[in-house]
Amino acid sequence: MNGGEIRTKGRAALLVGTALLASTVAVPSAFADGPVEIYLGQRSGTVHLGGLPGSYKWVDKQYRSTSLSNLRLHSIRITYSGCADWYGRAAVKWGSTYNTDKKSATGCNKSVLLTPMGDLKAPVTLTIHRNPTDISGSVVIKPVK
């Protein structure tokens, strides 16, 4: 080996060592701080729209925020196996106002995901509206725990 090869290999070893050291001392990712939500459980049910065939099935998975202790997060999946033009809307009290989420679906075998958040002890009002018949139905979802 000549002097040039030794210097090149020495620099490469120094760079690898520096990279290894930097990766072990690096700031941990946000995931290392733990989850931002705690799963509380779920509720499920169906909504029937007056006289129309079929029903809309819903599942509400509920989470408590770890950063705001009085905040409950909802993940409400609504599915309809028939063919229709419809939308779902969820409303929940949050402080002195209401937080709402609304999503629509058109076609057959469709589902929507609503993600409202509100006060920890507040129930959610879930409404499903069908177009063009202008018929709707609703249910009140109570908090888990």
Side-chain angles (χ1 to χ4, degrees):
M1 282 190 187
N2 65 28
E5 287 180 47
I6 293 173
R7 275 182 260 154
T8 304
K9 288 184 181 179
R11 286 185 191 139
L14 181 62
L15 286 173
V16 169
T18 304
L20 182 60
L21 179 63
S23 68
T24 58
V25 195
V27 177
S29 68
F31 184 72
D33 293 336
V36 294
E37 302 155 349
I38 297 171
Y39 178 71
L40 297 174
Q42 73 178 29
R43 296 208 184 267
S44 60
T46 57
V47 175
H48 299 277
L49 304 185
L52 295 176
S55 62
Y56 294 78
K57 296 178 182 174
W58 58 269
V59 175
D60 177 16
K61 293 182 180 179
Q62 301 179 17
Y63 303 85
R64 184 177 63 81
S65 171
T66 57
S67 58
L68 297 170
S69 62
N70 193 33
L71 183 67
R72 183 180 299 258
L73 310 168
H74 297 269
S75 177
I76 305 170
R77 167 85 50 195
I78 308 167
T79 57
Y80 182 62
S81 59
C83 299
D85 177 13
W86 59 278
Y87 67 84
R89 181 178 59 233
V92 60
K93 186 177 184 305
W94 189 7
S96 61
T97 184
Y98 280 83
N99 181 279
T100 61
D101 192 11
K102 177 180 170 182
K103 301 267 182 354
S104 61
T106 302
C108 303
N109 300 317
K110 298 293 180 180
S111 69
V112 297
L113 180 65
L114 305 175
T115 55
M117 61 180 120
D119 293 344
L120 189 63
K121 296 179 181 179
V124 175
T125 301
L126 176 64
T127 303
I128 299 170
H129 184 88
R130 181 114 162 234
N131 296 320
T133 58
D134 203 29
I135 295 177
S136 62
S138 63
V139 63
V140 174
I141 305 170
K142 293 181 181 178
V144 174
K145 298 180 189 174

